[in-house]
Amino acid sequence: MCCGHCVLSRTTADASPKRVCSYTTDMRSIPTPPDAGVIDAVRFGTDTFRYLDGIQTRYDDALQIPIPTRPPLVIVTNPTLARDLLSRPDDFGRVPARETDSLIASQGLVQSEGELWEQQRSVVAPAFSGRQVAAYADTVGRRVEALAEEWADRDDDDIDLHREMTTLTVRVATEVLLGKDIGRERAVEFHEWMAVAGEELEFGIDIATPEWLPTRVSPAFREAAANIRGLAEDMIEDRRESLANGEHTGPPDMLTILIQREDDPDVEYPENQIRDEVATFLIAGHETTALSLTYTLALLSDNPEVRESVRTEARGVIGDGPLDHDDVDRLPATQRAYNESLRLYPPAWGVFRQANHATDLGDYDVPDGAATIVPLWSIHRDARHFESPDSFDPSRWERRSPTSVDAYFPFSTGPHACIGRSFALSGATLALARLVADFDVDVPPGALDDLRLTPTLRPRDGVPATLSTPDDR
């Protein structure tokens, strides 16, 4: 058993880093950059990608940025230390919801921790079981088949690729998790609400401002948040009515489970808990998949040889009917392309935690209250772990499994890792295979150069694309 005082032994690229034991009782402070202070924090908040790429190459383990009037900001660049941090929720808790976040939901599964989180995870876990994963994938198969039929009537048409993928995935998520397809028109509305939320929640200079400084919440965001809450409340009310009338049949979905457990004496819901949970999954249930599909299709547009290999594979699998869960394992080239997209453009670009007390991380002291960031964006692009790290190269996943690479965790890791990981992997594989089989989705160069850092990695103004039918169709 490891004594707990381990450091990384750097190995060749595309090989996982090794932990070697170097027992010591001496703890040390996390290094700070030269002339660190508010100016450095402003650089991080205003040019985040460049800052992360720079420190990833210069700091093997972590960097600490002092911020006046606030605990320091700690950026963890070492994947082994990052996994350690994310495995210790008692030491590194979730960051409390800000006023803006809480306008949508303040205690859903994505925000909560401790006993409330344990209760919530236990309640909703059956909705993410193997049977539900299969149901989700089958629903994606049906929905993407319908989308392909729509696209067939739009040959040589211009689209917003991100909006199209949001419309697809939010309808799948609401049908599988909440038991009701909200329809295309409402899904497009939802995409617009999320665009407003993305603008409001963009990561920026406030990282360096005093915590007591009030923040302004725009009227547009208040309206978008109210619309998301209102949609959640409508769906809950509809389900209560259908359950009371005996109209809802079939296996229970997440919303049914949440409502039925209200009468369980072992479950105690805080006020508005079901609404917060539904609002949370309206967002989390679709957003990662919508973004990752958008980025994968854009990368395939830039790499026609890879797109052709995915197309050849997909056409050999599709046959006469829509794809379903049984087809996922028959699409390895598609899976590799998707995994590589998640490496380069992880929708959850960083994982945020806060030190609950003064504690340690490896051989380092972490101050009480320190804000911590695990930057998946830069860890996934580190040449110490990946050959040609800025290149889109799905073949790298022929040489090793994504689950074997310490420096690759697009769905986070530890107890709070994404509960919908299997949903996203299976659904995205089927959606990509079906769309690539019949369409060239051509995205102009530079379409992914202007991305917005919100809690997720979002296109600032959509992703323009042109649909066309391949020459052999």
Side-chain angles (χ1 to χ4, degrees):
M1 178 180 293
C2 179
C3 63
H5 295 280
C6 297
V7 295
L8 278 184
S9 171
R10 296 294 180 186
T11 59
T12 57
D14 277 2
S16 299
K18 307 294 185 183
R19 290 186 74 143
V20 296
C21 194
S22 59
Y23 182 81
T24 175
T25 58
D26 296 329
M27 304 299 288
R28 50 192 171 130
S29 296
I30 297 171
T32 59
D35 303 319
V38 66
I39 299 301
D40 213 56
V42 168
R43 291 194 191 105
F44 176 56
T46 56
D47 197 359
T48 307
F49 285 147
R50 180 179 297 181
Y51 192 94
L52 289 175
D53 290 341
I55 67 168
Q56 190 70 41
T57 61
R58 296 199 303 271
Y59 294 88
D60 284 354
D61 294 329
L63 169 74
Q64 181 172 238
I65 304 175
I67 301 176
T69 78
R70 298 176 64 163
L73 173 67
V74 173
I75 305 172
V76 181
T77 58
N78 179 320
T80 301
L81 294 182
R83 287 177 176 272
D84 181 23
L85 183 153
L86 295 173
S87 72
R88 294 160 52 190
D90 290 342
D91 296 326
F92 297 96
R94 286 174 163 169
V95 179
R98 299 171 297 175
E99 179 186 2
T100 45
D101 302 316
S102 60
L103 286 176
I104 298 175
S106 60
Q107 53 197 14
L109 188 66
V110 173
Q111 298 98 358
S112 64
E113 55 185 341
E115 292 183 2
L116 177 59
W117 175 83
E118 291 177 2
Q119 172 186 278
Q120 290 170 280
R121 183 89 174 197
S122 174
V123 168
V124 303
F128 296 88
S129 66
R131 181 174 64 179
Q132 291 300 99
V133 171
Y136 178 87
D138 293 347
T139 303
V140 170
R142 288 189 291 102
R143 287 287 169 210
V144 78
E145 191 75 17
L147 178 62
E149 292 176 4
E150 291 179 27
W151 280 12
D153 295 329
R154 302 175 64 177
D155 196 27
D156 292 324
D157 199 6
D158 293 331
I159 62 170
D160 177 349
L161 182 58
H162 183 217
R163 183 173 64 186
E164 291 290 311
M165 294 302 97
T166 298
T167 302
L168 169 68
T169 58
V170 76
R171 293 180 69 183
V172 171
T174 55
E175 180 176 346
V176 172
L177 294 175
L178 306 176
K180 180 180 180 180
D181 169 26
I182 63 174
R184 180 175 179 84
E185 184 176 342
R186 202 76 187 272
V188 170
E189 280 186 315
F190 194 88
H191 175 78
E192 300 306 320
W193 301 338
M194 290 296 296
V196 172
E199 184 174 353
E200 189 77 15
L201 300 175
E202 186 169 6
F203 190 79
I205 196 171
D206 58 343
I207 193 74
T209 58
E211 292 180 299
W212 49 261
L213 192 68
T215 56
R216 179 181 177 274
V217 180
S218 72
F221 177 73
R222 290 185 185 276
E223 181 179 359
N227 286 331
I228 294 172
R229 293 197 311 271
L231 177 58
E233 290 166 350
D234 289 347
M235 299 190 79
I236 295 167
E237 187 60 32
D238 286 349
R239 178 55 51 80
R240 289 191 190 279
E241 185 175 336
S242 66
L243 288 172
N245 296 333
E247 298 170 354
H248 190 77
T249 59
D253 51 45
M254 190 188 79
L255 180 52
T256 297
I257 292 170
L258 285 167
I259 293 173
Q260 290 176 339
R261 291 296 295 274
E262 280 183 303
D263 298 327
D264 188 331
D266 295 329
V267 173
E268 183 177 350
Y269 288 155
E271 185 179 5
N272 295 322
Q273 180 61 43
I274 295 181
R275 187 195 70 188
D276 275 11
E277 211 67 81
V278 172
T280 295
F281 277 97
L282 278 170
I283 297 172
H286 87 278
E287 189 178 28
T288 296
T289 309
L291 290 167
S292 56
L293 283 172
T294 300
Y295 297 141
T296 307
L297 288 167
L299 288 165
L300 290 174
S301 172
D302 286 340
N303 296 270
E305 302 87 355
V306 179
R307 182 165 69 181
E308 191 57 38
S309 70
V310 170
R311 176 172 294 148
T312 300
E313 174 183 82
R315 289 178 177 175
V317 171
I318 286 175
D320 297 330
L323 293 164
D324 60 31
H325 183 259
D326 292 339
D327 294 316
V328 172
D329 289 340
R330 301 167 62 199
L331 296 163
T334 310
Q335 291 184 50
R336 289 193 293 270
Y338 184 61
N339 285 327
E340 181 68 347
S341 171
L342 289 173
R343 184 185 69 82
L344 284 171
Y345 292 93
W349 65 273
V351 185
F352 300 80
R353 294 291 185 264
Q354 181 172 291
N356 292 333
H357 47 255
T359 187
D360 63 276
L361 187 64
D363 290 336
Y364 298 101
D365 288 314
V366 180
D368 181 21
T372 65
I373 300 179
V374 175
L376 274 62
W377 171 272
S378 56
I379 291 175
H380 281 188
R381 291 168 176 254
D382 191 329
R384 291 170 293 196
H385 312 297
F386 300 98
E387 293 176 358
S388 303
D390 294 327
S391 298
F392 178 68
D393 179 15
S395 69
R396 73 175 76 246
W397 302 115
E398 295 177 9
R399 300 188 289 273
R400 53 183 181 166
S401 165
T403 58
S404 70
V405 181
D406 282 353
Y408 180 79
F409 42 107
F411 296 96
S412 189
T413 187
H416 291 306
C418 178
I419 195 173
R421 175 181 180 276
S422 296
F423 277 29
L425 291 172
S426 60
T429 298
L430 298 182
L432 286 169
R434 184 64 187 85
L435 296 177
V436 172
D438 282 357
F439 302 98
D440 282 338
V441 182
D442 292 318
V443 176
L448 302 186
D449 288 348
D450 191 11
L451 300 177
R452 189 190 299 278
L453 290 176
T454 73
T456 54
L457 186 68
R458 296 177 57 85
R460 185 173 299 277
D461 295 307
V463 175
T466 302
L467 295 177
S468 60
T469 302
D471 293 338
D472 58 355
R473 275 300 202 231

